[in-house]
Amino acid sequence: MPLSPTFNAVQNAGPKAALLISNGTAEDLIGARLAGLLRLPVRYCPLVGEGRAYTAVSEAVRVGRVLRLPSGGFPFGSVGNLRADVAAGLVQESLGQWQDAVQGARGAGVVVVVGDAYALMVGTLAARRAGIGLIHVQPLLSAQYLEGLSVRGAMQELNALGANLPMPYELRLAAGARAVFVRDAPTAAYYAARGVAARWAGSFAMDVLAAPERDLSQFTRHKPPVLALIPGSREDHRQSLPPMLLASARLPEFTALVAWPHDWDAVTLPAGWALDIGSETKAYATGEGVRVPVLRGAFGAIAHAADVAIGTAGTANEQLAGLGKPVVAFATAGPQFTAGFARRQGRLLGEALSVVDADPDALAAEVRALRQDGPRRARAALAGMTRIGPAGALPVIAEEVQRAAGV
């Protein structure tokens, strides 16, 4: 697929650009927020999906083809995920993206990779072919994933081994980068012990957490506390929203709010429930005597207002934990929040995350137990804020990118 005419027109004009390569929804969001801080032209190459987050960046130019994967970017989450992605053209289209990235780096001043080892390989090739510097932003790995991981547990998670810790080849590639930024201090120490001078400047997850987008008092003023329902941006939501809603019906002392990132036609309800759509941003799920607001474009507001959350999400769960809000989770059949993913996130978040059965009664009991046990809730809050850490990384990285580009 040829690059866009807009890209061809600006390739050799003006100041040196930054080429951002990212491979995932959260990675795109981090890349887009970083791009918005840069004082130089931006090109972006999303390796999974369309990279919609970048469309908010004025004059940013997309390069390369769009790869839509059935797994949503988790080909190694299960054998089924991998088979579906291969059938969808994973291998052929990925090789084409490597060529796109090389072409996109021509005339640029720096390549910035936001993502895992695979994205780093693509970025390394592009930077070397263009003879320019490389900066790696690694928001996925954490040395905290290794805490309490037994040999047996590691064997159960072989498909996620490269997501638990950097493989030797990733460390070799990272060692060739101008700068490497990781998600927490323990991971920076892990890299340093293996000869890579990685830096921790703050939490990427908290950097991209939106401020409250709207006033929620119409929903919360009469019945605090607030229970946030976070089904996530992946297809897991089709399995996870129904038990969340059923659990909320068993918790009349809470005001439940659903943070919904999809279109209304994607809402999956429990049997006997109905969806009453009020506007583009507000609907109500009704059933079993309750009426639960389902809100689009309000994740930041719900996250800040929440007392407790039920979540089957990656970054969103981490953001709730980083705010000091305990999160109750349960495994789905995938593609993202599988039992293995839940175990990994539990090691990352510690007491901030409780994993229970995908049963409305079990979910409701765990939420109620957290609410009633003040010391436990305090330990969960401290664990989340400590293990995720404060915001502040992206402005530091933006300055490093601009220096690398000669700005």
Side-chain angles (χ1 to χ4, degrees), residues 219-243:
F219 309 110
T220 63
R221 62 175 175 263
H222 298 305
K223 249 176 52 174
V226 172
L227 172 63
L229 304 182
I230 314 294
S233 62
R234 309 291 183 176
E235 285 299 297
D236 306 70
H237 70 80
R238 299 188 186 278
Q239 307 163 56
S240 58
L241 182 59

Side-chain angles (χ1 to χ4, degrees), residues 110-395:
V110 61
V111 173
V112 182
V113 171
V114 184
D116 61 11
Y118 172 72
L120 180 57
M121 285 191 287
V122 178
T124 298
L125 175 64
R128 288 177 178 174
R129 291 285 181 87
I132 57 180
L134 171 73
I135 293 174
H136 186 205
V137 179
Q138 185 24 304
L140 304 172
L141 298 176
S142 174
Q144 296 176 125
Y145 283 132
L146 305 177
E147 293 182 9
L149 181 61
S150 65
V151 173
R152 180 180 178 183
M155 293 299 293
Q156 291 177 328
E157 297 179 14
L158 283 178
N159 64 330
L161 190 58
N164 284 334
L165 75 165
M167 296 287 95
Y169 69 89
E170 180 172 358
L171 291 171
R172 286 196 295 271
L173 292 175
R178 172 188 173 107
V180 179
F181 292 88
V182 293
R183 64 186 295 172
D184 52 46
T187 307
Y190 186 96
Y191 271 70
R194 288 151 183 81
V196 180
R199 297 170 59 187
W200 174 62
S203 167
F204 309 125
M206 303 313 290
D207 272 331
V208 300
L209 175 62
E213 303 91 345
R214 67 175 85 169
D215 180 11
L216 300 179
S217 61
Q218 63 173 306
F219 309 110
T220 63
R221 62 175 175 263
H222 298 305
K223 249 176 52 174
V226 172
L227 172 63
L229 304 182
I230 314 294
S233 62
R234 309 291 183 176
E235 285 299 297
D236 306 70
H237 70 80
R238 299 188 186 278
Q239 307 163 56
S240 58
L241 182 59
M244 289 181 183
L245 290 170
L246 291 171
S248 73
R250 291 153 171 78
L251 293 164
E253 69 270 33
F254 283 83
T255 295
L257 300 173
V258 179
W260 189 246
H262 310 281
D263 293 333
W264 292 134
D265 60 7
V267 173
T268 303
L269 298 174
W273 286 56
L275 186 70
D276 177 16
I277 300 172
S279 68
E280 283 294 309
T281 60
K282 181 175 69 174
Y284 290 91
T286 59
E288 300 197 13
V290 299
R291 192 166 185 252
V292 180
V294 184
L295 306 178
R296 299 179 67 209
F299 173 75
I302 293 173
H304 284 89
D307 293 274
V308 184
I310 302 177
T312 52
T315 300
N317 279 10
E318 295 169 16
Q319 290 169 326
L320 266 296
L323 288 172
K325 315 300 177 74
V327 181
V328 178
F330 57 94
T332 74
Q336 181 182 32
F337 213 87
T338 60
F341 188 97
R343 287 193 300 269
R344 292 180 59 247
Q345 192 174 73
R347 295 197 300 273
L348 173 69
L349 299 181
E351 287 191 82
L353 184 76
S354 304
V355 180
V356 301
D357 292 337
D359 173 75
D361 291 323
L363 292 167
E366 187 67 8
V367 169
R368 186 171 285 121
L370 278 164
R371 180 62 186 171
Q372 294 175 350
D373 189 338
R376 182 186 172 198
R377 194 167 64 251
R379 291 194 303 271
L382 179 61
M385 291 186 289
T386 301
R387 298 172 77 85
I388 294 300
L394 293 187

